[in-house]
Amino acid sequence: MSLDRAALLKPIERKTEKVELPEFGKGAFVYVAGMNAREKNAHDSALMNRKFDGLDPVKVKTQKERMVICCVRDKAGKKVFQPQDVEALGNWPSDTLNRVFDVANRLSGGGADQNSVKNSYETGDY
């Protein structure tokens, strides 16, 4: 089925998943929503240094926390976290943060992009 312009410009509902967080108590969970293209571009651009000629090593170290901030939503779809929550989220157990990040990254189409950022950081190519 070929779509026309009007159909292609209609908003598309965000992909959302419920992620269990038993570390916070029995039955605890959060909703994780994928980022739209504008949010994903802003997130990825924020990892760059001011000259946009490489990755900012400080920001790369908190990329997971930053994505969690962008993607964890309440029942109404509003963001739960604020940018100043980066440090607090960094104090979560690694497996807890990774569980939420992995869903956020997958729903945001971040497979190849995130792997290249991660690999660049791990090899020192930033």
Side-chain angles (χ1 to χ4, degrees), residues 65-120:
E65 293 91 331
R66 292 172 187 277
M67 185 170 279
V68 167
I69 288 169
C70 290
C71 295
V72 172
R73 306 293 174 123
D74 65 15
K75 191 175 182 179
K78 295 186 182 188
K79 289 183 181 180
V80 171
F81 297 116
Q82 300 297 317
Q84 61 266 28
D85 297 326
V86 166
E87 190 172 324
L89 289 171
N91 291 323
W92 278 15
S94 182
D95 62 331
T96 304
L97 183 68
N98 285 339
R99 186 177 327 119
V100 178
F101 168 80
D102 288 345
V103 173
N105 189 43
R106 180 173 42 79
L107 294 178
S108 299
D113 292 347
Q114 285 306 122
N115 287 336
S116 64
V117 168
K118 181 178 177 248
N119 291 339
S120 295

Side-chain angles (χ1 to χ4, degrees), residues 19-94:
V19 177
E20 303 290 333
L21 295 176
E23 300 86 348
F24 291 94
K26 185 176 181 176
F29 68 91
V30 291
Y31 293 109
V32 177
M35 290 187 269
N36 64 30
R38 186 177 300 117
E39 291 166 335
K40 181 75 165 81
N41 287 337
H43 175 267
D44 292 350
S45 295
L47 297 175
M48 301 296 289
N49 64 25
R50 284 187 214 154
K51 295 179 186 177
F52 289 94
D53 62 355
L55 296 174
D56 181 325
V58 173
K59 291 180 180 176
V60 169
K61 288 180 183 179
T62 59
Q63 70 171 323
K64 290 181 180 183
E65 293 91 331
R66 292 172 187 277
M67 185 170 279
V68 167
I69 288 169
C70 290
C71 295
V72 172
R73 306 293 174 123
D74 65 15
K75 191 175 182 179
K78 295 186 182 188
K79 289 183 181 180
V80 171
F81 297 116
Q82 300 297 317
Q84 61 266 28
D85 297 326
V86 166
E87 190 172 324
L89 289 171
N91 291 323
W92 278 15
S94 182

